Amino acid sequence: MDENILLYKLIVKLAAILGASLLIERILSFLNLAINRMFLFQYSNRYTQVEKLQEQLRREKQAIEEDKIILNQTVVDKDPCEVAFNPALPEEKQKSSCFDLLLIRPLQHILDDNERYIKYKENNVIIKEFWMQILGTLIAIFVCRALNFSIWEFFRYYTETEFPNSHSTFEYIFTGIIIGAGSKPINFLMNFLVNRKIEAETDEIKEESKKIPDSNVLQKTDSDIQKEVSPTTKEIEPETIEDLVGFEYDGGNKPDRLENTHKYTRTIDLIVYHHTAMHSDAPFEEVVKEFDRKGWLTGYNCVVFKDGTIRVLCRWDRFGNHAKPHNSHSFGIAFQGNFEPNPNIPFSNPNGDLGLMIPSGKQLLAAARVIAMYALLQNIPFTFPESFEPGDAVKGIIPHHLIADKACPGGNFPHDEFKESITNYYNNWKDNAGFKKALELFKKKPMVIA
């Protein structure tokens, strides 16, 4: 062998190494994507088509049985909890937790679990990257051996007589390691360039958009501009009911299972407001779990949380389980929390162990908007009855305790303040043309009107 290494030979082999590293990087990226998709497919197809059909049939059967129970139920409800058990449930399943504190784990536990999950995920990523790199190196070694490709000659200076003409196994292993190790920096470089390109294009679009004049501004006359700066100018009305009330209507939790049941049999003329009797910090998922555990297919039509968040639980073209025997002609809305201070009442909140002892201001206003809007949506009599005599038609907007042997929504609930807020929203909206137009559009959404 010549003592001097030819430059073109070095360049060719370095180019070959770079190309091989790039090829290995693409193979590993493809395998990584395939593995991720395989796990995603496995997770999303946990149930076979037959099992999905069986689950659907089971839900439909349960819905039919629940309809019969609701129609034939004659037992007086003495349950101090917000939601009575489905009497068809076996006794061993009727565990009266009544939304107690065990459902809400301390925040630190949640943070610890989240931290453990992040570490677990990071460890899995590291382990997968390690074995992918090992695989890439093995592929490179195999290809080098098959193609008789080696770069060891650039690292030794001896005559051909010192070693046989054929390359040793070590040379292929060494070359394969170099190629495999190079795939990782190339992968990092490619991701960096792609991300930088996306960011650069996004920045360019933003800069260009700033240079384009607003067509609306160009079309405005001097009188239009004068009106806009006038202190008497009205605010722009929201385009949708959801914008105005402050929620997103999605049909609630598992709306499909109510498709063939819980259909309104009477004109909707009643709105009942509740408290959930849960901890005021309990998330929406805990409300869903509790109704599942109680044995009902659904619960309140919507729930309002202490920060003013409004969540739909039962689709609005179906009645919920919240105020028997008036479910079939009522709309149920619940405040997340427990506002009952009397310690003699089971599952009360006299010391604030279940969070807020009175609804928050945001909570009251959000619920008032929902009730005012729904009263206009269904033409519900806008009255606040204080009591009902035997034989009276139960109509209007009422707290749950007027029609049930319960303290709901609790002794601390500010009924007068709440009624005043509902009235203000109702009066502001009932003759508003923009609101009426938005309401008509909202009626056309799926699962809103029966």
Side-chain angles (χ1 to χ4, degrees):
M1 177 179 175
D2 295 335
E3 292 185 0
N4 297 323
I5 299 174
L6 296 177
L7 181 60
Y8 81 89
K9 191 175 182 180
L10 175 63
I11 293 174
V12 169
K13 289 216 169 185
L14 289 177
I17 290 173
L18 182 62
S21 295
L22 180 60
L23 179 63
I24 294 295
E25 183 273 335
R26 289 291 87 192
I27 292 173
L28 295 181
S29 296
F30 174 78
L31 289 175
N32 190 43
L33 180 62
I35 290 173
N36 291 340
R37 294 207 171 200
M38 180 181 66
F39 281 112
L40 179 63
F41 179 80
Q42 180 181 1
Y43 177 79
S44 62
N45 290 274
R46 183 175 296 175
Y47 299 109
T48 64
Q49 292 298 323
V50 175
E51 289 170 332
K52 287 181 179 179
L53 180 59
Q54 290 174 343
E55 173 66 13
Q56 181 180 353
L57 293 174
R58 187 187 71 81
R59 287 290 186 186
E60 291 179 356
K61 182 179 178 181
Q62 183 181 354
I64 294 172
E65 292 175 352
E66 184 177 313
D67 272 348
K68 292 179 180 178
I69 292 169
I70 292 173
L71 290 174
N72 300 327
Q73 208 167 27
T74 58
V75 179
V76 177
D77 180 14
K78 295 292 184 180
D79 183 7
C81 300
E82 184 57 57
V83 181
F85 283 103
N86 180 338
L89 280 180
E91 290 186 4
E92 61 271 16
K93 291 189 176 181
Q94 296 188 16
K95 299 176 182 178
S96 187
S97 75
C98 197
F99 310 104
D100 70 16
L101 276 170
L102 294 178
L103 291 172
I104 310 303
R105 295 181 298 168
L107 180 60
Q108 188 58 46
H109 290 179
I110 298 175
L111 294 175
D112 291 343
D113 287 348
N114 187 54
E115 185 177 351
R116 282 194 291 269
Y117 170 75
I118 293 174
K119 289 182 179 179
Y120 171 78
K121 188 175 180 180
E122 290 177 349
N123 289 337
N124 280 349
V125 171
I126 292 172
I127 292 172
K128 186 174 71 171
E129 289 289 339
F130 171 77
W131 286 111
M132 293 293 287
Q133 206 62 44
I134 293 294
L135 177 62
T137 302
L138 292 176
I139 293 174
I141 293 173
F142 175 79
V143 171
C144 289
R145 183 67 184 86
L147 299 178
N148 230 14
F149 180 78
S150 170
I151 60 169
W152 184 248
E153 59 184 301
F154 298 126
F155 298 92
R156 57 186 170 92
Y157 294 93
Y158 46 79
T159 62
E160 293 183 357
T161 57
E162 295 179 18
F163 286 89
N165 290 330
S166 60
H167 297 298
S168 66
T169 302
F170 171 76
E171 296 181 31
Y172 301 122
I173 294 175
F174 177 80
T175 306
I177 291 174
I178 295 296
I179 294 174
S183 66
K184 191 64 180 177
I186 290 177
N187 179 264
F188 174 80
L189 179 61
M190 291 186 68
N191 289 334
F192 174 76
L193 292 175
V194 170
N195 291 334
R196 281 297 298 272
K197 182 179 179 181
I198 293 174
E199 290 177 3
E201 290 179 349
T202 303
D203 292 339
E204 288 178 4
I205 292 173
K206 289 181 179 178
E207 290 297 325
E208 290 296 326
S209 64
K210 292 178 181 178
K211 298 177 182 178
I212 300 174
D214 190 346
S215 59
N216 292 329
V217 174
L218 291 176
Q219 295 172 4
K220 289 176 182 176
T221 63
D222 292 340
S223 60
D224 293 329
I225 296 174
Q226 183 62 33
K227 289 180 181 178
E228 286 184 354
V229 300
S230 173
T232 59
T233 302
K234 295 182 179 179
E235 294 182 0
I236 298 175
E237 294 178 342
E239 296 180 354
T240 67
I241 284 294
E242 289 150 301
D243 290 333
L244 185 58
V245 178
F247 75 111
E248 181 178 350
Y249 186 78
D250 55 4
N253 177 59
K254 300 178 182 176
D256 292 342
R257 66 180 178 181
L258 299 181
E259 186 64 32
N260 301 314
T261 186
H262 282 243
K263 296 179 180 179
Y264 281 107
T265 57
R266 292 174 50 185
T267 300
I268 305 171
D269 54 12
L270 179 66
I271 297 176
V272 184
Y273 58 92
H274 310 251
H275 69 176
T276 62
M278 296 179 72
H279 195 292
S280 59
D281 291 331
F284 178 73
E285 290 72 20
E286 296 296 346
V287 182
V288 173
K289 289 178 184 177
E290 186 64 13
F291 276 99
D292 288 341
R293 194 180 66 76
K294 292 287 187 180
W296 302 111
L297 288 178
T298 189
Y300 314 108
N301 292 95
C302 72
V303 183
V304 182
F305 294 82
K306 70 177 187 180
D307 63 351
T309 299
I310 301 165
R311 292 295 301 272
V312 178
L313 178 59
C314 173
R315 50 191 283 187
W316 289 3
D317 62 341
R318 300 290 187 268
F319 65 80
N321 289 324
H322 64 96
K324 68 174 186 179
H326 300 284
N327 288 322
S328 61
H329 67 109
S330 67
F331 176 87
I333 180 171
F335 289 77
Q336 178 68 310
N338 189 322
F339 314 122
E340 179 50 57
N342 188 348
N344 296 322
I345 295 178
F347 309 105
S348 57
N349 186 27
N351 301 316
D353 294 333
L354 295 176
L356 297 180
M357 298 182 68
I358 59 173
S360 70
K362 291 181 179 180
Q363 200 171 15
L364 287 169
L365 290 176
R369 291 195 298 271
V370 173
I371 290 178
M373 178 272 296
Y374 195 82
L376 291 165
L377 180 72
Q378 296 288 359
N379 294 317
I380 292 174
F382 193 73
T383 60
F384 300 95
E386 298 292 336
S387 62
F388 295 100
E389 297 296 330
D392 286 351
V394 180
K395 298 180 180 181
I397 302 166
I398 63 171
H400 189 204
H401 66 76
L402 288 187
I403 54 173
D405 186 19
K406 298 177 183 289
C408 175
N412 282 341
F413 193 91
H415 296 281
D416 292 338
E417 178 184 348
F418 187 46
K419 293 175 184 178
E420 184 180 353
S421 296
I422 297 172
T423 303
N424 289 337
Y425 283 117
Y426 185 88
N427 290 335
N428 288 335
W429 287 341
K430 66 178 181 178
D431 297 321
N432 185 290
F435 178 86
K436 290 180 179 179
K437 182 178 179 181
L439 197 62
E440 290 303 317
L441 292 174
F442 184 62
K443 289 180 179 180
K444 296 178 182 179
K445 291 195 68 168
M447 300 180 290
V448 172
I449 296 294

